[in-house]
Amino acid sequence: MDLDVGRAHGARIYDYILGGKDNYGPDRAAGEESLEVWPALRIHMQANRTFMHRAARFLAAECGIRQFLDIGTGIPTAPNLHEVVQAVAPDSRVVYVDNDPVVLAHARALMSSTREGRTDYIHGDMRDPEAILAAPQLRQTLDLNRPIGLMLIAMLHFIEDDDEALRVARHVIDILPPGSYFAATIATDDFAPEPLAKVRDLYHSHGETLRWRTKAQAEQFFEGLELEEPGLVQMHKWRPDPIHIGKIDDADIAMYGAVGRKP
């Protein structure tokens, strides 16, 4: 499988800024230039990671979800989703999806399940939800007749067309059975528009997409779902750990986050 290291890739930029080693020159260049124009980017990305941990733990511990579909998992960074939910319920089952060959190369780390549970990996593109849902790995690991926790964490901004982004998310949500949940973080420039315009332009100049959306646009992804408290908020304000309350500046966070239940 071809590994295009001549252009930046969102997952590898994310990996670089969080201190990972699975990145290349264009990823590091895009990351450094972005940090120069918006130094809060590292804080923002760390907050995105911890949102995923809190949302996953909430779904496993408080909602009883035992099946998860994580589309756009990114390069493995402990604790991964299965480690979070299997710490709550060892029998949890997780299917990861990503289109980056670097993630595929590390997929073994994503499949180190507990004995009681199971994990699997699909090399697929979120723009083709039909192929993801038809993949044998998904059908062998998840029961589509039982509630599933769908995770789209820091992914929708890589689809610039608003209608396509909605179609992709809603296609998967519509397939899920009642009682399922949808957790997502959605990029916005509502709180720091000037530096984030520069970040967007830098991503574009390195060949990567980036689309900011307003709160009203973010809400569209959750239409028809019952939002869990506190609703759609900046992601660091969604059920924060007490030790983090008041320690993150709103201007340093460029994503909304929410969890919705399918009735």
Side-chain angles (χ1 to χ4, degrees):
M1 192 167 294
D2 291 336
L3 175 59
D4 183 3
V5 299
R7 58 176 289 273
H9 187 286
R12 300 195 298 263
I13 298 171
Y14 187 78
D15 176 75
Y16 171 69
I17 290 176
L18 291 182
K21 298 179 180 179
D22 295 296
N23 48 74
Y24 299 90
D27 311 307
R28 295 189 282 273
E32 286 297 333
E33 291 172 24
S34 297
L35 284 167
E36 286 181 16
V37 300
W38 194 46
L41 184 57
R42 182 169 285 115
I43 295 170
H44 161 80
M45 288 185 170
Q46 290 169 339
N48 179 73
R49 188 74 186 167
T50 58
F51 171 91
M52 184 276 282
H53 295 158
R54 296 195 308 277
R57 194 176 300 114
F58 168 75
L59 292 179
E62 299 188 37
C63 304
I65 297 298
R66 298 293 179 264
Q67 304 188 107
F68 295 83
L69 175 59
D70 183 16
I71 299 179
T73 181
I75 295 165
T77 303
N80 293 297
L81 173 64
H82 71 278
E83 294 167 316
V84 173
V85 299
Q86 289 180 346
V88 175
D91 60 335
S92 296
R93 302 165 80 88
V94 178
V95 171
Y96 293 105
V97 182
D98 207 287
N99 71 341
D100 184 357
V102 170
V103 182
L104 175 62
H106 292 277
R108 187 177 297 275
L110 297 171
M111 294 190 284
S112 57
S113 175
T114 57
R115 183 178 59 186
E116 302 93 332
R118 179 171 177 175
T119 66
D120 214 330
Y121 179 81
I122 299 169
H123 187 76
D125 194 317
M126 67 173 170
R127 295 174 182 82
D128 188 3
E130 294 89 348
I132 293 171
L133 294 168
Q137 300 97 312
L138 186 143
R139 302 284 173 161
Q140 293 164 6
T141 305
L142 305 183
D143 180 353
L144 294 182
N145 294 310
R146 295 174 51 232
I148 292 171
L150 170 63
M151 316 290 282
L152 273 175
I153 306 299
M155 286 304 298
L156 291 165
H157 55 273
F158 293 123
I159 302 179
E160 294 198 335
D161 182 87
D162 294 333
D163 291 337
E164 183 185 8
L166 277 171
R167 178 191 68 80
V168 165
R170 297 306 310 190
H171 184 91
V172 183
I173 292 169
D174 289 347
I175 292 294
L176 301 180
S180 294
Y181 287 81
F182 173 48
T185 53
I186 299 169
T188 185
D189 63 349
D190 284 354
F191 302 92
E194 291 186 13
L196 290 175
K198 296 178 182 177
V199 172
R200 179 198 59 214
D201 292 344
L202 281 168
Y203 267 58
H204 288 174
S205 71
H206 284 277
E208 183 56 282
T209 56
L210 181 56
R211 171 77 167 101
W212 307 120
R213 291 185 167 93
T214 65
K215 186 174 185 180
Q217 289 172 313
E219 287 171 341
Q220 291 182 308
F221 292 97
F222 294 90
E223 285 183 359
L225 303 180
E226 300 168 348
L227 287 180
E228 297 291 337
E229 291 293 336
L232 181 76
V233 294
Q234 277 184 285
M235 61 187 178
H236 66 301
K237 296 180 177 180
W238 194 89
R239 298 174 178 254
D241 293 329
I243 60 172
H244 295 144
I245 294 175
K247 294 185 178 180
I248 299 177
D249 192 320
D250 289 357
D252 291 346
I253 299 298
M255 280 189 184
Y256 290 109
V259 175
R261 180 182 182 275
K262 182 175 180 179

